Amino acid sequence: MNIKMDLISEDKVNSMGSMEKIRFVLDGVKSGNIVVLEGGLTSEEQMKLIELAMLEVDEDFTGIEMSGYPSKKGFFNLRKKTRLTVVGPAKTMHTIKKGKDWISAVISEI
Amino acid sequence: MVRRRRTSGILAWLLEALFFKKRSVKIGIYGPPNAGKTTLTNRIIHTFADEEEDVGTASEIPHETRRAVRRGGILIDLKQNLKQFQRTNFNSNPQPLSDPTRNGDPTRNGDPSTNPSTKSGRKGRAKLKLDVVDTPGLATKIDFHDFLAYGLREEEAKQRAKEATEGVIEAIKWLDDIDGVILLMDATQDPYTQTNVVIIGNMEARGIPVVIAANKIDLSSAAPQKIKKAFPQHFVIPISALTGENMPEFYAAMVRRFR
Ligand SMILES: Nc1nc2c(ncn2[C@@H]2O[C@H](COP(=O)(O)OP(=O)(O)OP(=O)(O)O)[C@@H](O)[C@H]2O)c(=O)[nH]1
Ligand SMILES: [Mg+2]
């Protein structure tokens, strides 16, 4: 089985509105892809993504696996911006481990 | 309260009027499934409101709570409850309050001033009136197959999975009505999960105070120091919601952070 990965540049990510981004990610993941966003989703967008994913969970689509690492908090820049977000279907993406600066994902055939 | 006003003197009434003028805060108990949120909520209610009352059932099967439940009118009075704390304060397995290898902000992890005995010294300031909200466990994935391992029939498992997804959405919606969050983690599990990170990120963005409780420290595999390490900028209090270990420090942190 092939697993498709979508690697989305920060420019592309920034060109989309919040809802558009979330929909884009969810559509990709629901069709079985691993979606990697440079720049990533904010915490609020990730929460919204969890909410929308839950609305669509059924016997086939069991939800998402998600990971991201936040950027270091700047002195004046109080809001944390995510640097990278990885989202995949819970069925194929497993045992994500992460530290502050790294993410490790295992991707398997179902 | 009306009855108490009549029976106690004018001074007591004045004190109460001054105190209750302050709106009670709504504290949401959040965390992954099975962290012990319902166990903790029940304990809070037993200690400060009604020994007989349960807000919900605790269960080893994840997603036991699938509707958020609010219990109002809880008064944490550190001074008054101190004696009770001392009676129920287990010290069989003392956990270090602060990690000596860290030298960060001393007001954060393992703050010694959250000790109730020092806290209650300041008159009238060691009180917190609150509503607690026990919420369904937050998850990014729900597979009905996981429930079959607990002996549920397939239909039950599917129904539970459906309700669990609704529960997650409900828990997220409740965040809009919450003044403070207790983020409960199972200290025997990896703390650095995306749901934990997302909850904290959202609370930081909204400016809502968070107290992290590292639960299940009665188990030998518990590693609350891992949680402190993962979230160094937050209050992390090791507790056992089941045995009551270290609850005084936890209540003191709540009063301090949510008042
Ligand atoms: N050893 C130990 N077990 C605990 C502790 N707190 C809760 N548990 C157990 O963990 C399991 C889950 O507890 P719950 O209170 O139902 O957890 P919850 O977070 O409400 O779970 P959901 O409602 O499914 O999200 C139960 O079997 C509890 O008895 C604790 O401090 N120590
Ligand atoms: Mg529960």
Side-chain angles (χ1 to χ4, degrees):
Chain A
M1 193 191 114
N2 294 324
I3 289 158
K4 191 170 152 238
M5 273 184 90
D6 296 328
L7 304 156
I8 314 300
S9 76
E10 185 155 18
D11 288 345
K12 166 87 174 160
V13 171
N14 288 340
S15 75
M16 293 186 276
S18 261
M19 196 56 222
E20 196 182 355
K21 253 188 293 190
I22 293 163
R23 194 67 256 173
F24 175 87
V25 172
L26 199 54
D27 285 347
V29 169
K30 281 197 77 180
S31 48
N33 305 344
I34 311 288
V35 183
V36 182
L37 303 174
E38 187 190 8
L41 299 172
T42 65
S43 297
E44 289 103 321
E45 287 165 348
Q46 291 179 53
M47 192 70 103
K48 195 78 202 162
L49 175 61
I50 296 174
E51 204 180 323
L52 288 191
M54 282 298 132
L55 275 176
E56 305 195 10
V57 162
D58 56 28
E59 283 161 39
D60 292 322
F61 176 64
T62 57
I64 60 173
E65 185 73 71
M66 174 166 58
S67 201
Y69 42 77
S71 66
K72 291 178 204 100
K73 211 190 252 184
F75 193 71
F76 295 105
N77 167 20
L78 278 167
R79 178 170 286 202
K80 277 187 193 167
K81 196 176 154 292
T82 317
R83 285 176 292 174
L84 185 97
T85 306
V86 191
V87 193
K91 269 194 178 157
T92 48
M93 191 162 148
H94 301 287
T95 50
I96 275 191
K97 284 224 171 76
K98 60 177 282 189
K100 281 198 175 60
D101 296 305
W102 55 273
I103 295 168
S104 170
V106 174
I107 294 153
S108 65
E109 304 181 39
I110 307 233
Chain B
M1 212 183 94
V2 175
R3 197 170 3 106
R4 275 183 65 192
R5 273 186 192 171
R6 240 186 278 126
T7 51
S8 53
I10 184 100
L11 184 65
W13 179 83
L14 264 172
L15 282 172
E16 275 202 340
L18 273 172
F19 176 68
F20 284 108
K21 187 180 66 186
K22 210 176 149 191
R23 185 177 74 93
S24 70
V25 291
K26 248 185 233 133
I27 304 301
I29 303 189
Y30 281 83
N34 248 340
K37 298 177 294 298
T38 304
T39 308
L40 176 63
T41 313
N42 287 341
R43 175 172 286 280
I44 292 173
I45 293 166
H46 297 168
T47 307
F48 298 105
D50 184 343
E51 276 180 37
E52 305 291 311
E53 187 184 322
D54 282 349
V55 77
T57 13
S59 158
E60 52 159 12
I61 313 176
H63 298 287
E64 181 65 19
T65 308
R66 299 185 292 282
R67 286 273 174 275
V69 187
R70 181 176 64 86
R71 170 55 156 99
I74 292 170
L75 176 63
I76 298 185
D77 183 342
L78 291 181
K79 206 174 176 187
Q80 197 180 329
N81 295 106
L82 190 63
K83 280 201 194 94
Q84 189 183 349
F85 288 152
Q86 281 164 343
R87 259 187 282 126
T88 54
N89 187 11
F90 293 68
N91 250 334
S92 51
N93 178 20
Q95 296 286 329
L97 294 186
S98 55
D99 183 347
T101 59
R102 290 202 65 80
N103 50 356
D105 180 351
T107 64
R108 295 299 179 184
N109 282 341
D111 181 1
S113 66
T114 56
N115 185 320
S117 52
T118 55
K119 195 69 209 157
S120 61
R122 264 184 277 158
K123 228 180 182 174
R125 300 202 64 204
K127 283 184 182 175
L128 175 72
K129 198 186 175 204
L130 73 154
D131 293 7
V132 280
V133 185
D134 180 26
T135 69
L138 283 184
T140 61
K141 54 184 171 192
I142 291 164
D143 188 341
F144 82 90
H145 292 100
D146 296 343
F147 301 132
L148 298 176
Y150 293 93
L152 269 70
R153 283 182 290 112
E154 184 160 325
E155 278 318 302
E156 286 174 322
K158 284 180 182 171
Q159 180 62 24
R160 190 183 183 94
K162 191 179 180 302
E163 290 173 13
T165 61
E166 293 162 3
V168 172
I169 295 167
E170 189 169 316
I172 293 174
K173 297 261 187 245
W174 258 96
L175 281 173
D176 295 340
D177 297 327
I178 288 290
D179 305 304
V181 163
I182 294 167
L183 177 52
L184 192 64
M185 300 180 195
D186 181 335
T188 67
Q189 305 286 315
D190 174 20
Y192 218 48
T193 65
Q194 198 63 11
T195 40
N196 287 342
V197 172
V198 167
I199 295 171
I200 289 180
N202 271 264
M203 296 307 98
E204 282 174 352
R206 298 178 194 203
I208 293 176
V210 180
V211 170
I212 299 174
N215 194 30
K216 310 199 184 181
I217 57 166
D218 57 292
L219 300 174
S220 58
S221 56
Q225 64 283 3
K226 265 193 201 159
I227 301 181
K228 291 183 175 185
K229 219 173 160 181
F231 305 101
Q233 70 278 38
H234 289 276
F235 284 95
V236 178
I237 316 291
I239 62 165
S240 170
L242 193 67
T243 67
E245 199 173 323
N246 213 30
M247 292 307 289
E249 201 201 346
F250 174 68
Y251 294 135
M254 277 178 71
V255 171
R256 189 184 158 86
R257 197 81 180 93
F258 298 140
R259 199 176 42 209

